[in-house]
Amino acid sequence: MSYAIGVDIGGTKVQFAVIDREGNITNRHRVPTEANKGPEQLMNKVLLGIDMMMESIDQEEEIQGIGIGSAGQIDYREGTVRYAGDTLPDWTGTAIKEMIARRYNTSVYVDNDVNVIAIAEKMYGVGKDCDHFVCLALGTGIGGAVMEAGRLIRGVFGGAAELGHVSIDINGPRCSCGNNGCVELYASGSGIARLGLEMQRNGSASYAWRPNARDIIQAWHQHDPSATQVMRIVIRALGSAIAGYIHTFNPEAVVVGGGVAQSGPRFLQALDQEVNARTSSYMRGCCRLIPANFGSDAGVIGAAAQVWHYGESSCSQYMI
Ligand SMILES: [Zn+2]
């Protein structure tokens, strides 16, 4: 048998898994990130977790490689963190690939956490019969990845497809990226909470609890009037952004995942209608809006799947 080890480094937890060629998880482990303790302790956790995964395989030579997916903007060639914001403070500049390659005699791949989700979809999900698709991860923020002819769109160093930082309102609130009205400020978990809080501050909210995305979405399902108003803005904002992605990339599918998207089919149905109303019919006609395949395992499966994606196909990571 051949196996790949995957590590998904996020703001709250680090997930480890061993997967086989078909993408099945044969062993897994998870630890809290504790990002506030600094990059050194985090890197130590990553190495210890990889050790544990290595030990779970009978023959070490069956390991074909190690793949890492990390929050932040990742230089995929160097395997370093170009920029990590508040999610992973001080993580910027960490030479992830070098530290792992020094310790293990196997191939190492490092990429952004949403790019690796797109690789999981390419290998085992929507991408099995589709070469052009956009991935959106609606979590605390909004992450994006674009697969074009079976390859990730990279830009100069790998920072392309920051789809959460597309503005849908030039007069909107200031975003951390420097722009105004980025879609992330409306349709991410923190964006939904922000809209809910804004409504409460101007005295028009029907709820008295401190708003967070999960509770607002739940109240929306129960037809709470204020939550309905918030979610109308969320869906309009996201629908507008997705229409822009469809016009820009002409994809066969837009794959929507992450915690916000996992709130049930009603969210995707409402979004589908909004996107339909905002997209040229000749573009929309060949594009499906679909839920992501792997839920909370997407990151760790995709991290490991880099080993098969780059190691076995003609799709060298460095040719892209
Ligand atoms: Zn922004």
Side-chain angles (χ1 to χ4, degrees), residues 86-103:
D86 296 341
T87 319
L88 293 172
D90 305 324
W91 194 231
T92 302
T94 307
I96 303 176
K97 182 172 176 173
E98 189 192 316
M99 284 191 245
I100 294 173
R102 211 187 290 150
R103 183 156 164 148

Side-chain angles (χ1 to χ4, degrees), residues 287-298:
C287 179
R288 297 169 288 152
L289 195 65
I290 53 175
N293 276 285
F294 303 103
S296 55
D297 286 336

Side-chain angles (χ1 to χ4, degrees), residues 164-166 175-185:
H165 293 286
V166 167
C175 179
S176 59
C177 73
N179 205 347
N180 289 74
C182 291
V183 65
E184 178 170 289
L185 297 171

Side-chain angles (χ1 to χ4, degrees), residues 17 28 36 56 87 101 161 280:
R28 64 159 77 219
N36 56 325
S56 72
T87 319
S280 313

